[in-house]
Structures are given as structure tokens and as C-alpha cells.
Amino acid sequence: MKDLDNQVVLVTGASRGIGLHVAKAAAREGAQLILMARTVAALEALADDIEANGGRAPLLQPIDFRGATWEDYLSIAGSLESHFQAIDACIFNAAALGEPGPLAGYALEAWASVMQVNVNAPFLLLNALLPLLRRSKHARVIFSLISTCAATRAFAGAYGVSKAALRAMVAILSDEFESDPGLSVFGIDPGPVDTALYRLAYPGADFELLAKPQDAASAFIAALGGNN
């Protein structure tokens, strides 16, 4: 048996970068995947790749976190409940960069959009899915983080503030669930990784020196309990 056989794993931001490679690695370990992203064609391409390489057919859940409401998350949870008895793990990887720049005068629409994707979406989705996570023997909730230094540097903009808030959310959740044997909370900072978002945030970086998304995925698989 593979390490993640019979494990239902949800991945947000699964259409590219770290999320895509986490999904591929989890599929190789036998996981039944729920893939979330806003680009349907990219999700379908990933599903085809997973099945072509012997993985289980994933369930695709297209969603645009920028406009999703609490009712949308409840609807998704209800739909997933009709497919699965439980969800064993959620990996919150989706992120929006917004516009790097000074906070003074930051565009309000860009601010709200980044906060919606990076902070509100994982909070709302987690709360909607908690009943399904509670049905797992040992659920894992995993958040993709960045370092405090990167989040709080000058001109990090709404992205930096949102990632600092997400790190605080992980710390609070970890403390609240510390004595709960049924649910574990992880925050993973993979460091600088050669993703499309990183290239936009740091256009002058030497991308050849960066870790690749497929390498960064290993930490997430380890947190899931796999060996990939």
C-alpha cells in the first residue's frame, strides 16, 4: 500500500506552482484528491496528468476565492459530503500577490481582494469543512506560509500583511487544537521558491538559485504522512 491510500486530501491553489506539485506528489502516494483553483482548464490538465500516471481521478472544485461567500463555502462542503465520508487533510496554498508597494495610499480594491484570498478564504473554508475533518481519524490542516521577515519588509503591501495575519492564524489554531488528538495544524514555510508569484514579487531575483516547486512539495507530503 502507498502511504496516503484511502486518504482524502484537499488542495487549494492546485493549478500551478507548489500546489500543483503537492497534488501530483500526493496522488503518487495514493491520495484521493479534491483540487481547488479558479482556472478550470488548468485543473482539468492536472487531473489528466494524475490519471495518466496511475493516480486516482481527482474531484475538481473550481472556485474564485476573490468573490466566494460563506454560503458558497457551505455549498461546497455539502457537495463534498455527498462524495466523501470524511476529509483527512486540507492544504491551504492559494495566494494572491496584489500590488507590491507602500501601504500609504494602497488601492482599497487591491487590498480587499488580497485579504479575501489569503486570509478570509482559508478561514471560511476551514470552518465550512470542519465537520468533515472531524470525521477523519486524524485530520491535518496545513497552511503555506512565508517568513516573518519577508512578510514585514517594506513595500510588501497587502500580500505581506495578509501573510503575517495567516501566520498568526496558524499559531492560534495550533494552540487551540494542541490537546485535540483528532486534528493537527501545520504551517510550512518552504522558503524562496521559483513560482510565478515569486517572480512577480521579486523580478530582480536570480531564479536559478531558488528551490523548485517540486522540491518544496516534499515538506507538505511529510506533513500529510507520506514519504514522497
Side-chain angles (χ1 to χ4, degrees), residues 112-153:
S113 180
V114 171
M115 292 299 171
Q116 182 69 15
V117 174
N118 297 356
V119 181
N120 296 343
F123 168 77
L124 294 170
L125 183 56
L126 173 61
N127 275 279
L129 295 179
L130 267 177
L132 280 167
L133 287 163
R134 288 294 194 188
R135 295 179 190 171
S136 173
K137 292 181 179 179
H138 183 70
R140 287 132 293 158
V141 179
I142 305 167
F143 295 85
S144 182
L145 304 178
I146 66 172
S147 70
T148 300
C149 181
T152 57
R153 66 181 177 85

PDB file of all heavy atoms in Angstrom, residues 112-153:
ATOM      1  N   ALA A 112      -8.541  44.706  -0.469  1.00  0.00           N
ATOM      2  CA  ALA A 112      -9.661  43.826  -0.125  1.00  0.00           C
ATOM      3  C   ALA A 112      -9.551  42.486  -0.845  1.00  0.00           C
ATOM      4  O   ALA A 112      -9.842  41.429  -0.266  1.00  0.00           O
ATOM      5  CB  ALA A 112     -10.982  44.508  -0.467  1.00  0.00           C
ATOM      6  N   SER A 113      -9.125  42.506  -2.102  1.00  0.00           N
ATOM      7  CA  SER A 113      -9.011  41.270  -2.873  1.00  0.00           C
ATOM      8  C   SER A 113      -7.952  40.351  -2.304  1.00  0.00           C
ATOM      9  O   SER A 113      -8.166  39.143  -2.163  1.00  0.00           O
ATOM     10  CB  SER A 113      -8.688  41.600  -4.337  1.00  0.00           C
ATOM     11  OG  SER A 113      -8.568  40.427  -5.108  1.00  0.00           O
ATOM     12  N   VAL A 114      -6.789  40.907  -1.952  1.00  0.00           N
ATOM     13  CA  VAL A 114      -5.706  40.092  -1.384  1.00  0.00           C
ATOM     14  C   VAL A 114      -6.128  39.515  -0.037  1.00  0.00           C
ATOM     15  O   VAL A 114      -5.895  38.332   0.244  1.00  0.00           O
ATOM     16  CB  VAL A 114      -4.422  40.925  -1.252  1.00  0.00           C
ATOM     17  CG1 VAL A 114      -3.362  40.160  -0.455  1.00  0.00           C
ATOM     18  CG2 VAL A 114      -3.876  41.275  -2.631  1.00  0.00           C
ATOM     19  N   MET A 115      -6.734  40.317   0.806  1.00  0.00           N
ATOM     20  CA  MET A 115      -7.187  39.828   2.110  1.00  0.00           C
ATOM     21  C   MET A 115      -8.242  38.736   1.956  1.00  0.00           C
ATOM     22  O   MET A 115      -8.272  37.765   2.711  1.00  0.00           O
ATOM     23  CB  MET A 115      -7.741  40.984   2.946  1.00  0.00           C
ATOM     24  CG  MET A 115      -6.696  41.979   3.369  1.00  0.00           C
ATOM     25  SD  MET A 115      -5.410  41.223   4.398  1.00  0.00           S
ATOM     26  CE  MET A 115      -4.227  42.546   4.483  1.00  0.00           C
ATOM     27  N   GLN A 116      -9.100  38.901   0.964  1.00  0.00           N
ATOM     28  CA  GLN A 116     -10.148  37.910   0.735  1.00  0.00           C
ATOM     29  C   GLN A 116      -9.543  36.555   0.372  1.00  0.00           C
ATOM     30  O   GLN A 116      -9.965  35.521   0.902  1.00  0.00           O
ATOM     31  CB  GLN A 116     -11.075  38.385  -0.383  1.00  0.00           C
ATOM     32  CG  GLN A 116     -12.244  37.473  -0.687  1.00  0.00           C
ATOM     33  CD  GLN A 116     -13.283  37.440   0.418  1.00  0.00           C
ATOM     34  OE1 GLN A 116     -13.279  38.284   1.295  1.00  0.00           O
ATOM     35  NE2 GLN A 116     -14.160  36.449   0.386  1.00  0.00           N
ATOM     36  N   VAL A 117      -8.554  36.550  -0.507  1.00  0.00           N
ATOM     37  CA  VAL A 117      -7.956  35.295  -0.963  1.00  0.00           C
ATOM     38  C   VAL A 117      -7.042  34.685   0.100  1.00  0.00           C
ATOM     39  O   VAL A 117      -7.103  33.479   0.374  1.00  0.00           O
ATOM     40  CB  VAL A 117      -7.164  35.512  -2.271  1.00  0.00           C
ATOM     41  CG1 VAL A 117      -6.415  34.237  -2.669  1.00  0.00           C
ATOM     42  CG2 VAL A 117      -8.103  35.936  -3.388  1.00  0.00           C
ATOM     43  N   ASN A 118      -6.204  35.515   0.716  1.00  0.00           N
ATOM     44  CA  ASN A 118      -5.128  34.999   1.569  1.00  0.00           C
ATOM     45  C   ASN A 118      -5.521  34.781   3.021  1.00  0.00           C
ATOM     46  O   ASN A 118      -4.880  33.992   3.716  1.00  0.00           O
ATOM     47  CB  ASN A 118      -3.928  35.949   1.516  1.00  0.00           C
ATOM     48  CG  ASN A 118      -3.324  36.045   0.134  1.00  0.00           C
ATOM     49  OD1 ASN A 118      -3.747  35.351  -0.786  1.00  0.00           O
ATOM     50  ND2 ASN A 118      -2.348  36.906  -0.034  1.00  0.00           N
ATOM     51  N   VAL A 119      -6.548  35.482   3.491  1.00  0.00           N
ATOM     52  CA  VAL A 119      -6.939  35.374   4.897  1.00  0.00           C
ATOM     53  C   VAL A 119      -8.373  34.873   5.051  1.00  0.00           C
ATOM     54  O   VAL A 119      -8.636  33.857   5.714  1.00  0.00           O
ATOM     55  CB  VAL A 119      -6.781  36.733   5.622  1.00  0.00           C
ATOM     56  CG1 VAL A 119      -7.163  36.589   7.104  1.00  0.00           C
ATOM     57  CG2 VAL A 119      -5.349  37.244   5.505  1.00  0.00           C
ATOM     58  N   ASN A 120      -9.320  35.574   4.430  1.00  0.00           N
ATOM     59  CA  ASN A 120     -10.727  35.204   4.618  1.00  0.00           C
ATOM     60  C   ASN A 120     -11.049  33.833   4.037  1.00  0.00           C
ATOM     61  O   ASN A 120     -11.774  33.046   4.653  1.00  0.00           O
ATOM     62  CB  ASN A 120     -11.637  36.254   3.979  1.00  0.00           C
ATOM     63  CG  ASN A 120     -11.519  37.607   4.640  1.00  0.00           C
ATOM     64  OD1 ASN A 120     -11.015  37.724   5.751  1.00  0.00           O
ATOM     65  ND2 ASN A 120     -11.985  38.650   3.964  1.00  0.00           N
ATOM     66  N   ALA A 121     -10.513  33.531   2.845  1.00  0.00           N
ATOM     67  CA  ALA A 121     -10.838  32.261   2.200  1.00  0.00           C
ATOM     68  C   ALA A 121     -10.417  31.049   3.036  1.00  0.00           C
ATOM     69  O   ALA A 121     -11.234  30.151   3.263  1.00  0.00           O
ATOM     70  CB  ALA A 121     -10.234  32.194   0.800  1.00  0.00           C
ATOM     71  N   PRO A 122      -9.165  30.963   3.500  1.00  0.00           N
ATOM     72  CA  PRO A 122      -8.821  29.800   4.316  1.00  0.00           C
ATOM     73  C   PRO A 122      -9.611  29.736   5.624  1.00  0.00           C
ATOM     74  O   PRO A 122      -9.977  28.646   6.079  1.00  0.00           O
ATOM     75  CB  PRO A 122      -7.322  29.955   4.570  1.00  0.00           C
ATOM     76  CG  PRO A 122      -6.985  31.353   4.216  1.00  0.00           C
ATOM     77  CD  PRO A 122      -7.974  31.780   3.199  1.00  0.00           C
ATOM     78  N   PHE A 123      -9.892  30.882   6.221  1.00  0.00           N
ATOM     79  CA  PHE A 123     -10.687  30.903   7.455  1.00  0.00           C
ATOM     80  C   PHE A 123     -12.094  30.348   7.205  1.00  0.00           C
ATOM     81  O   PHE A 123     -12.579  29.481   7.937  1.00  0.00           O
ATOM     82  CB  PHE A 123     -10.760  32.331   7.999  1.00  0.00           C
ATOM     83  CG  PHE A 123     -11.772  32.508   9.099  1.00  0.00           C
ATOM     84  CD1 PHE A 123     -11.506  32.077  10.391  1.00  0.00           C
ATOM     85  CD2 PHE A 123     -12.999  33.106   8.835  1.00  0.00           C
ATOM     86  CE1 PHE A 123     -12.445  32.230  11.405  1.00  0.00           C
ATOM     87  CE2 PHE A 123     -13.938  33.265   9.840  1.00  0.00           C
ATOM     88  CZ  PHE A 123     -13.662  32.829  11.127  1.00  0.00           C
ATOM     89  N   LEU A 124     -12.745  30.837   6.165  1.00  0.00           N
ATOM     90  CA  LEU A 124     -14.110  30.413   5.879  1.00  0.00           C
ATOM     91  C   LEU A 124     -14.170  28.967   5.406  1.00  0.00           C
ATOM     92  O   LEU A 124     -15.038  28.191   5.838  1.00  0.00           O
ATOM     93  CB  LEU A 124     -14.723  31.339   4.820  1.00  0.00           C
ATOM     94  CG  LEU A 124     -14.943  32.793   5.251  1.00  0.00           C
ATOM     95  CD1 LEU A 124     -15.321  33.653   4.060  1.00  0.00           C
ATOM     96  CD2 LEU A 124     -16.016  32.877   6.327  1.00  0.00           C
ATOM     97  N   LEU A 125     -13.235  28.579   4.531  1.00  0.00           N
ATOM     98  CA  LEU A 125     -13.240  27.211   4.026  1.00  0.00           C
ATOM     99  C   LEU A 125     -12.974  26.212   5.147  1.00  0.00           C
ATOM    100  O   LEU A 125     -13.622  25.163   5.230  1.00  0.00           O
ATOM    101  CB  LEU A 125     -12.206  27.064   2.907  1.00  0.00           C
ATOM    102  CG  LEU A 125     -12.138  25.697   2.215  1.00  0.00           C
ATOM    103  CD1 LEU A 125     -13.489  25.295   1.639  1.00  0.00           C
ATOM    104  CD2 LEU A 125     -11.072  25.710   1.118  1.00  0.00           C
ATOM    105  N   LEU A 126     -12.022  26.528   6.009  1.00  0.00           N
ATOM    106  CA  LEU A 126     -11.739  25.641   7.132  1.00  0.00           C
ATOM    107  C   LEU A 126     -12.974  25.457   8.010  1.00  0.00           C
ATOM    108  O   LEU A 126     -13.316  24.334   8.387  1.00  0.00           O
ATOM    109  CB  LEU A 126     -10.583  26.195   7.964  1.00  0.00           C
ATOM    110  CG  LEU A 126     -10.278  25.448   9.267  1.00  0.00           C
ATOM    111  CD1 LEU A 126      -9.897  24.000   8.997  1.00  0.00           C
ATOM    112  CD2 LEU A 126      -9.178  26.160  10.042  1.00  0.00           C
ATOM    113  N   ASN A 127     -13.648  26.537   8.333  1.00  0.00           N
ATOM    114  CA  ASN A 127     -14.821  26.430   9.190  1.00  0.00           C
ATOM    115  C   ASN A 127     -15.947  25.652   8.516  1.00  0.00           C
ATOM    116  O   ASN A 127     -16.668  24.892   9.177  1.00  0.00           O
ATOM    117  CB  ASN A 127     -15.298  27.817   9.607  1.00  0.00           C
ATOM    118  CG  ASN A 127     -14.548  28.332  10.823  1.00  0.00           C
ATOM    119  OD1 ASN A 127     -14.868  27.975  11.953  1.00  0.00           O
ATOM    120  ND2 ASN A 127     -13.532  29.147  10.603  1.00  0.00           N
ATOM    121  N   ALA A 128     -16.096  25.820   7.206  1.00  0.00           N
ATOM    122  CA  ALA A 128     -17.124  25.067   6.491  1.00  0.00           C
ATOM    123  C   ALA A 128     -16.813  23.573   6.458  1.00  0.00           C
ATOM    124  O   ALA A 128     -17.728  22.732   6.497  1.00  0.00           O
ATOM    125  CB  ALA A 128     -17.267  25.613   5.075  1.00  0.00           C
ATOM    126  N   LEU A 129     -15.522  23.235   6.407  1.00  0.00           N
ATOM    127  CA  LEU A 129     -15.124  21.833   6.266  1.00  0.00           C
ATOM    128  C   LEU A 129     -14.856  21.128   7.599  1.00  0.00           C
ATOM    129  O   LEU A 129     -14.628  19.913   7.606  1.00  0.00           O
ATOM    130  CB  LEU A 129     -13.868  21.737   5.395  1.00  0.00           C
ATOM    131  CG  LEU A 129     -14.020  22.179   3.944  1.00  0.00           C
ATOM    132  CD1 LEU A 129     -12.690  22.050   3.218  1.00  0.00           C
ATOM    133  CD2 LEU A 129     -15.094  21.371   3.219  1.00  0.00           C
ATOM    134  N   LEU A 130     -14.891  21.851   8.701  1.00  0.00           N
ATOM    135  CA  LEU A 130     -14.577  21.232   9.992  1.00  0.00           C
ATOM    136  C   LEU A 130     -15.423  19.995  10.303  1.00  0.00           C
ATOM    137  O   LEU A 130     -14.890  19.004  10.819  1.00  0.00           O
ATOM    138  CB  LEU A 130     -14.705  22.258  11.119  1.00  0.00           C
ATOM    139  CG  LEU A 130     -13.423  22.992  11.510  1.00  0.00           C
ATOM    140  CD1 LEU A 130     -13.711  24.039  12.586  1.00  0.00           C
ATOM    141  CD2 LEU A 130     -12.344  22.024  11.973  1.00  0.00           C
ATOM    142  N   PRO A 131     -16.723  19.994  10.016  1.00  0.00           N
ATOM    143  CA  PRO A 131     -17.483  18.760  10.283  1.00  0.00           C
ATOM    144  C   PRO A 131     -16.943  17.548   9.537  1.00  0.00           C
ATOM    145  O   PRO A 131     -16.898  16.438  10.093  1.00  0.00           O
ATOM    146  CB  PRO A 131     -18.901  19.119   9.808  1.00  0.00           C
ATOM    147  CG  PRO A 131     -18.983  20.604   9.992  1.00  0.00           C
ATOM    148  CD  PRO A 131     -17.611  21.103   9.609  1.00  0.00           C
ATOM    149  N   LEU A 132     -16.510  17.732   8.284  1.00  0.00           N
ATOM    150  CA  LEU A 132     -15.936  16.623   7.525  1.00  0.00           C
ATOM    151  C   LEU A 132     -14.552  16.253   8.043  1.00  0.00           C
ATOM    152  O   LEU A 132     -14.185  15.074   8.075  1.00  0.00           O
ATOM    153  CB  LEU A 132     -15.858  16.985   6.040  1.00  0.00           C
ATOM    154  CG  LEU A 132     -17.162  16.846   5.246  1.00  0.00           C
ATOM    155  CD1 LEU A 132     -17.039  17.518   3.893  1.00  0.00           C
ATOM    156  CD2 LEU A 132     -17.538  15.384   5.083  1.00  0.00           C
ATOM    157  N   LEU A 133     -13.775  17.233   8.441  1.00  0.00           N
ATOM    158  CA  LEU A 133     -12.465  16.952   9.028  1.00  0.00           C
ATOM    159  C   LEU A 133     -12.614  16.199  10.346  1.00  0.00           C
ATOM    160  O   LEU A 133     -11.807  15.314  10.668  1.00  0.00           O
ATOM    161  CB  LEU A 133     -11.698  18.255   9.250  1.00  0.00           C
ATOM    162  CG  LEU A 133     -11.156  18.945   7.989  1.00  0.00           C
ATOM    163  CD1 LEU A 133     -10.807  20.397   8.293  1.00  0.00           C
ATOM    164  CD2 LEU A 133      -9.948  18.206   7.436  1.00  0.00           C
ATOM    165  N   ARG A 134     -13.637  16.517  11.106  1.00  0.00           N
ATOM    166  CA  ARG A 134     -13.864  15.866  12.394  1.00  0.00           C
ATOM    167  C   ARG A 134     -14.182  14.378  12.240  1.00  0.00           C
ATOM    168  O   ARG A 134     -14.031  13.601  13.190  1.00  0.00           O
ATOM    169  CB  ARG A 134     -15.007  16.556  13.135  1.00  0.00           C
ATOM    170  CG  ARG A 134     -14.662  17.927  13.690  1.00  0.00           C
ATOM    171  CD  ARG A 134     -13.644  17.804  14.766  1.00  0.00           C
ATOM    172  NE  ARG A 134     -13.507  19.020  15.573  1.00  0.00           N
ATOM    173  CZ  ARG A 134     -12.566  19.174  16.468  1.00  0.00           C
ATOM    174  NH1 ARG A 134     -11.674  18.226  16.681  1.00  0.00           N
ATOM    175  NH2 ARG A 134     -12.472  20.281  17.175  1.00  0.00           N
ATOM    176  N   ARG A 135     -14.615  13.984  11.062  1.00  0.00           N
ATOM    177  CA  ARG A 135     -14.952  12.581  10.837  1.00  0.00           C
ATOM    178  C   ARG A 135     -13.721  11.732  10.490  1.00  0.00           C
ATOM    179  O   ARG A 135     -13.804  10.512  10.416  1.00  0.00           O
ATOM    180  CB  ARG A 135     -15.980  12.459   9.713  1.00  0.00           C
ATOM    181  CG  ARG A 135     -17.325  13.095  10.047  1.00  0.00           C
ATOM    182  CD  ARG A 135     -18.281  12.967   8.876  1.00  0.00           C
ATOM    183  NE  ARG A 135     -19.477  13.772   9.087  1.00  0.00           N
ATOM    184  CZ  ARG A 135     -20.401  13.977   8.154  1.00  0.00           C
ATOM    185  NH1 ARG A 135     -20.241  13.456   6.940  1.00  0.00           N
ATOM    186  NH2 ARG A 135     -21.457  14.725   8.409  1.00  0.00           N
ATOM    187  N   SER A 136     -12.590  12.399  10.254  1.00  0.00           N
ATOM    188  CA  SER A 136     -11.345  11.679   9.999  1.00  0.00           C
ATOM    189  C   SER A 136     -10.767  11.188  11.320  1.00  0.00           C
ATOM    190  O   SER A 136     -10.959  11.797  12.369  1.00  0.00           O
ATOM    191  CB  SER A 136     -10.347  12.602   9.305  1.00  0.00           C
ATOM    192  OG  SER A 136      -9.076  11.993   9.182  1.00  0.00           O
ATOM    193  N   LYS A 137     -10.045  10.073  11.262  1.00  0.00           N
ATOM    194  CA  LYS A 137      -9.402   9.567  12.471  1.00  0.00           C
ATOM    195  C   LYS A 137      -8.336  10.534  12.982  1.00  0.00           C
ATOM    196  O   LYS A 137      -8.152  10.679  14.182  1.00  0.00           O
ATOM    197  CB  LYS A 137      -8.781   8.190  12.193  1.00  0.00           C
ATOM    198  CG  LYS A 137      -9.802   7.093  11.945  1.00  0.00           C
ATOM    199  CD  LYS A 137      -9.123   5.760  11.698  1.00  0.00           C
ATOM    200  CE  LYS A 137     -10.157   4.659  11.468  1.00  0.00           C
ATOM    201  NZ  LYS A 137      -9.500   3.346  11.187  1.00  0.00           N
ATOM    202  N   HIS A 138      -7.641  11.153  12.059  1.00  0.00           N
ATOM    203  CA  HIS A 138      -6.655  12.167  12.454  1.00  0.00           C
ATOM    204  C   HIS A 138      -6.466  13.131  11.291  1.00  0.00           C
ATOM    205  O   HIS A 138      -5.699  12.888  10.362  1.00  0.00           O
ATOM    206  CB  HIS A 138      -5.315  11.543  12.827  1.00  0.00           C
ATOM    207  CG  HIS A 138      -4.321  12.566  13.290  1.00  0.00           C
ATOM    208  ND1 HIS A 138      -4.439  13.223  14.488  1.00  0.00           N
ATOM    209  CD2 HIS A 138      -3.221  13.077  12.692  1.00  0.00           C
ATOM    210  CE1 HIS A 138      -3.441  14.078  14.624  1.00  0.00           C
ATOM    211  NE2 HIS A 138      -2.690  14.014  13.548  1.00  0.00           N
ATOM    212  N   ALA A 139      -7.199  14.244  11.347  1.00  0.00           N
ATOM    213  CA  ALA A 139      -7.163  15.218  10.264  1.00  0.00           C
ATOM    214  C   ALA A 139      -5.939  16.121  10.389  1.00  0.00           C
ATOM    215  O   ALA A 139      -5.460  16.393  11.487  1.00  0.00           O
ATOM    216  CB  ALA A 139      -8.435  16.059  10.282  1.00  0.00           C
ATOM    217  N   ARG A 140      -5.456  16.577   9.242  1.00  0.00           N
ATOM    218  CA  ARG A 140      -4.334  17.505   9.197  1.00  0.00           C
ATOM    219  C   ARG A 140      -4.727  18.737   8.398  1.00  0.00           C
ATOM    220  O   ARG A 140      -5.304  18.603   7.311  1.00  0.00           O
ATOM    221  CB  ARG A 140      -3.107  16.860   8.563  1.00  0.00           C
ATOM    222  CG  ARG A 140      -2.405  15.836   9.444  1.00  0.00           C
ATOM    223  CD  ARG A 140      -2.110  14.547   8.697  1.00  0.00           C
ATOM    224  NE  ARG A 140      -3.338  13.858   8.352  1.00  0.00           N
ATOM    225  CZ  ARG A 140      -3.449  12.977   7.378  1.00  0.00           C
ATOM    226  NH1 ARG A 140      -2.410  12.666   6.649  1.00  0.00           N
ATOM    227  NH2 ARG A 140      -4.609  12.397   7.131  1.00  0.00           N
ATOM    228  N   VAL A 141      -4.450  19.903   8.941  1.00  0.00           N
ATOM    229  CA  VAL A 141      -4.712  21.171   8.270  1.00  0.00           C
ATOM    230  C   VAL A 141      -3.367  21.863   8.087  1.00  0.00           C
ATOM    231  O   VAL A 141      -2.658  22.123   9.064  1.00  0.00           O
ATOM    232  CB  VAL A 141      -5.672  22.049   9.092  1.00  0.00           C
ATOM    233  CG1 VAL A 141      -5.912  23.378   8.386  1.00  0.00           C
ATOM    234  CG2 VAL A 141      -6.996  21.325   9.330  1.00  0.00           C
ATOM    235  N   ILE A 142      -3.018  22.137   6.840  1.00  0.00           N
ATOM    236  CA  ILE A 142      -1.671  22.601   6.515  1.00  0.00           C
ATOM    237  C   ILE A 142      -1.758  23.918   5.746  1.00  0.00           C
ATOM    238  O   ILE A 142      -2.461  24.006   4.734  1.00  0.00           O
ATOM    239  CB  ILE A 142      -0.921  21.549   5.674  1.00  0.00           C
ATOM    240  CG1 ILE A 142      -0.916  20.195   6.401  1.00  0.00           C
ATOM    241  CG2 ILE A 142       0.493  22.007   5.365  1.00  0.00           C
ATOM    242  CD1 ILE A 142      -0.485  19.032   5.531  1.00  0.00           C
ATOM    243  N   PHE A 143      -1.034  24.923   6.220  1.00  0.00           N
ATOM    244  CA  PHE A 143      -1.028  26.237   5.594  1.00  0.00           C
ATOM    245  C   PHE A 143       0.354  26.525   5.006  1.00  0.00           C
ATOM    246  O   PHE A 143       1.370  26.250   5.638  1.00  0.00           O
ATOM    247  CB  PHE A 143      -1.355  27.323   6.621  1.00  0.00           C
ATOM    248  CG  PHE A 143      -2.740  27.243   7.194  1.00  0.00           C
ATOM    249  CD1 PHE A 143      -3.006  26.412   8.271  1.00  0.00           C
ATOM    250  CD2 PHE A 143      -3.771  27.998   6.667  1.00  0.00           C
ATOM    251  CE1 PHE A 143      -4.278  26.331   8.818  1.00  0.00           C
ATOM    252  CE2 PHE A 143      -5.049  27.936   7.206  1.00  0.00           C
ATOM    253  CZ  PHE A 143      -5.303  27.107   8.289  1.00  0.00           C
ATOM    254  N   SER A 144       0.357  27.116   3.826  1.00  0.00           N
ATOM    255  CA  SER A 144       1.605  27.551   3.198  1.00  0.00           C
ATOM    256  C   SER A 144       1.917  28.977   3.655  1.00  0.00           C
ATOM    257  O   SER A 144       1.120  29.904   3.453  1.00  0.00           O
ATOM    258  CB  SER A 144       1.474  27.497   1.679  1.00  0.00           C
ATOM    259  OG  SER A 144       2.684  27.869   1.056  1.00  0.00           O
ATOM    260  N   LEU A 145       3.083  29.160   4.287  1.00  0.00           N
ATOM    261  CA  LEU A 145       3.457  30.443   4.880  1.00  0.00           C
ATOM    262  C   LEU A 145       4.693  31.015   4.196  1.00  0.00           C
ATOM    263  O   LEU A 145       5.357  30.349   3.402  1.00  0.00           O
ATOM    264  CB  LEU A 145       3.754  30.256   6.369  1.00  0.00           C
ATOM    265  CG  LEU A 145       2.647  29.639   7.228  1.00  0.00           C
ATOM    266  CD1 LEU A 145       3.135  29.476   8.663  1.00  0.00           C
ATOM    267  CD2 LEU A 145       1.381  30.479   7.176  1.00  0.00           C
ATOM    268  N   ILE A 146       4.989  32.271   4.533  1.00  0.00           N
ATOM    269  CA  ILE A 146       6.278  32.866   4.188  1.00  0.00           C
ATOM    270  C   ILE A 146       6.910  33.355   5.491  1.00  0.00           C
ATOM    271  O   ILE A 146       6.248  33.458   6.524  1.00  0.00           O
ATOM    272  CB  ILE A 146       6.161  34.010   3.167  1.00  0.00           C
ATOM    273  CG1 ILE A 146       5.402  35.208   3.763  1.00  0.00           C
ATOM    274  CG2 ILE A 146       5.485  33.524   1.899  1.00  0.00           C
ATOM    275  CD1 ILE A 146       5.409  36.448   2.866  1.00  0.00           C
ATOM    276  N   SER A 147       8.184  33.658   5.450  1.00  0.00           N
ATOM    277  CA  SER A 147       8.873  34.066   6.664  1.00  0.00           C
ATOM    278  C   SER A 147       8.349  35.412   7.172  1.00  0.00           C
ATOM    279  O   SER A 147       7.835  36.231   6.392  1.00  0.00           O
ATOM    280  CB  SER A 147      10.378  34.164   6.412  1.00  0.00           C
ATOM    281  OG  SER A 147      10.659  35.277   5.567  1.00  0.00           O
ATOM    282  N   THR A 148       8.485  35.629   8.460  1.00  0.00           N
ATOM    283  CA  THR A 148       8.090  36.909   9.040  1.00  0.00           C
ATOM    284  C   THR A 148       8.876  38.046   8.410  1.00  0.00           C
ATOM    285  O   THR A 148       8.338  39.133   8.152  1.00  0.00           O
ATOM    286  CB  THR A 148       8.316  36.892  10.559  1.00  0.00           C
ATOM    287  OG1 THR A 148       7.532  35.834  11.131  1.00  0.00           O
ATOM    288  CG2 THR A 148       7.911  38.209  11.188  1.00  0.00           C
ATOM    289  N   CYS A 149      10.139  37.801   8.131  1.00  0.00           N
ATOM    290  CA  CYS A 149      10.977  38.827   7.507  1.00  0.00           C
ATOM    291  C   CYS A 149      10.437  39.225   6.139  1.00  0.00           C
ATOM    292  O   CYS A 149      10.351  40.411   5.813  1.00  0.00           O
ATOM    293  CB  CYS A 149      12.412  38.317   7.392  1.00  0.00           C
ATOM    294  SG  CYS A 149      13.563  39.500   6.647  1.00  0.00           S
ATOM    295  N   ALA A 150      10.057  38.250   5.344  1.00  0.00           N
ATOM    296  CA  ALA A 150       9.527  38.541   4.008  1.00  0.00           C
ATOM    297  C   ALA A 150       8.180  39.238   4.083  1.00  0.00           C
ATOM    298  O   ALA A 150       7.871  40.117   3.270  1.00  0.00           O
ATOM    299  CB  ALA A 150       9.414  37.254   3.207  1.00  0.00           C
ATOM    300  N   ALA A 151       7.371  38.850   5.077  1.00  0.00           N
ATOM    301  CA  ALA A 151       6.025  39.414   5.200  1.00  0.00           C
ATOM    302  C   ALA A 151       6.054  40.865   5.661  1.00  0.00           C
ATOM    303  O   ALA A 151       5.167  41.653   5.311  1.00  0.00           O
ATOM    304  CB  ALA A 151       5.192  38.581   6.156  1.00  0.00           C
ATOM    305  N   THR A 152       7.062  41.219   6.451  1.00  0.00           N
ATOM    306  CA  THR A 152       7.069  42.540   7.078  1.00  0.00           C
ATOM    307  C   THR A 152       8.087  43.501   6.473  1.00  0.00           C
ATOM    308  O   THR A 152       8.340  44.565   7.044  1.00  0.00           O
ATOM    309  CB  THR A 152       7.314  42.412   8.595  1.00  0.00           C
ATOM    310  OG1 THR A 152       8.560  41.714   8.812  1.00  0.00           O
ATOM    311  CG2 THR A 152       6.203  41.624   9.264  1.00  0.00           C
ATOM    312  N   ARG A 153       8.677  43.165   5.346  1.00  0.00           N
ATOM    313  CA  ARG A 153       9.636  44.066   4.698  1.00  0.00           C
ATOM    314  C   ARG A 153       8.881  45.247   4.085  1.00  0.00           C
ATOM    315  O   ARG A 153       7.684  45.169   3.788  1.00  0.00           O
ATOM    316  CB  ARG A 153      10.430  43.319   3.623  1.00  0.00           C
ATOM    317  CG  ARG A 153       9.582  42.866   2.453  1.00  0.00           C
ATOM    318  CD  ARG A 153      10.364  42.103   1.393  1.00  0.00           C
ATOM    319  NE  ARG A 153       9.483  41.640   0.334  1.00  0.00           N
ATOM    320  CZ  ARG A 153       9.129  42.366  -0.704  1.00  0.00           C
ATOM    321  NH1 ARG A 153       9.579  43.608  -0.845  1.00  0.00           N
ATOM    322  NH2 ARG A 153       8.321  41.877  -1.627  1.00  0.00           N
TER     323      ARG A 153
END
